[in-house]
Amino acid sequence: MKLCLLAALCAACLGLSGCGLAAAPCRITSAVIKVVPVVGHAAALPTDACAEVIDP
């Protein structure tokens, strides 16, 4: 059951590549990192780049 759910989720992500849903994990991680004082914005640059590549 869980394997089918995982396969369906992966298929949905591949079908939706290039949209905001696929970039959501990168954007959420970036937002969490940006909360860190002083170094947050600099440390979040790689995750921002990840989101821009997926969803320009």
Side-chain angles (χ1 to χ4, degrees):
M1 180 70 177
K2 288 184 182 184
L3 185 59
C4 276
L5 180 62
L6 181 62
L9 182 62
C10 287
C13 285
L14 286 174
L16 296 172
S17 63
C19 78
L21 182 63
C26 293
R27 296 200 190 275
I28 292 169
T29 304
S30 175
V32 169
I33 293 172
K34 286 179 182 177
V35 174
V36 177
V38 182
V39 296
H41 287 281
L45 288 176
T47 55
D48 286 337
C50 165
E52 285 299 317
V53 167
I54 295 172
D55 188 24

